[in-house]
Amino acid sequence: DTGVSQNPRHKITKRGQNVTFRCDPISEHNRLYWYRQTLGQGPEFLTYFQNEAQLEKSRLLSDRFSAERPKGSFSTLEIQRTEQGDSAMYLCASSFVAGSFYEQYFGPGTRLTVT
Amino acid sequence: QKEVEQNSGPLSVPEGAIASLNCTYSDRGSQSFFWYRQYSGKSPELIMFIYSNGDKEDGRFTAQLNKASQYVSLLIRDSQPSDSATYLCAVKTSYDKVIFGPGTSLSVIP
């Protein structure tokens, strides 16, 4: 399977705990994106990487969120001191950006529940 | 004004009919446009992309783009119950970001 993979698929945590999610993009893709999606809404942009460089981070993202993509391969998204409002589906997508081609392919997502 | 807007639905069509989904966007410099299908509890799946004005057909799906009107649509011919899902419109803006609309829920009634 050469699609985008994410782990874990589900995470239940208590408020105040730290959580980390992993995303493995499609191998030849040079961009990796993180989104958050809540019920009834479209995916909300969090951050993205071009190879290993983090090019943009949403202003909606608090300092409790951090993402890395060491060596331009897999990426991790960490949420520190989780809050109930962090409960959502966290989606990772990757794309090969060349010229105007920007098709993004999503992984299965990690559903986070903060109790 | 939201950057990408869609009718929230739900849109209900009988099996075999044409489903028409609409999307408008605010950034006139937007260049690339995408339609994703999302089943309940699943992640979005790319089904169509269109970069030039006009129509693009792929099987039962047709994407239509009118940049002057800042409008993009998705037509689903011969709708099937398996097409029941939420359809997300996504737009690559002039400032190099892909923005998603809130989605339109489609229900195909057998």
Side-chain angles (χ1 to χ4, degrees), chain B residues 57-76:
Chain B
E57 186 174 320
D58 184 1
R60 297 187 295 112
F61 298 100
T62 299
Q64 299 175 314
L65 175 61
N66 184 327
K67 289 185 179 180
S69 299
Q70 295 176 239
Y71 175 89
V72 57
S73 65
L74 179 70
L75 300 178
I76 306 175

Side-chain angles (χ1 to χ4, degrees), chain A residues 56-74:
Chain A
E56 187 173 351
K57 184 175 177 179
S58 170
R59 288 172 292 178
L60 300 174
L61 220 57
S62 75
D63 291 341
R64 297 184 298 107
F65 288 73
S66 62
E68 295 181 343
R69 192 184 182 197
K71 302 179 182 178
S73 55
F74 71 92

Side-chain angles (χ1 to χ4, degrees), chain B residues 95-110:
Chain B
Y95 45 96
D96 203 30
K97 184 181 289 186
V98 175
I99 304 295
F100 285 80
T104 297
S105 175
L106 172 66
S107 178
V108 180
I109 311 302

Side-chain angles (χ1 to χ4, degrees), chain B residues 3-4 23-27 30-34 72 89-93 97-101:
Chain B
E3 294 184 88
V4 179
C23 173
T24 58
Y25 58 94
S26 60
D27 181 5
S30 298
Q31 302 165 354
S32 310
F33 306 86
F34 310 92
V72 57
C89 172
V91 175
K92 178 198 167 295
T93 64
K97 184 181 289 186
V98 175
I99 304 295
F100 285 80

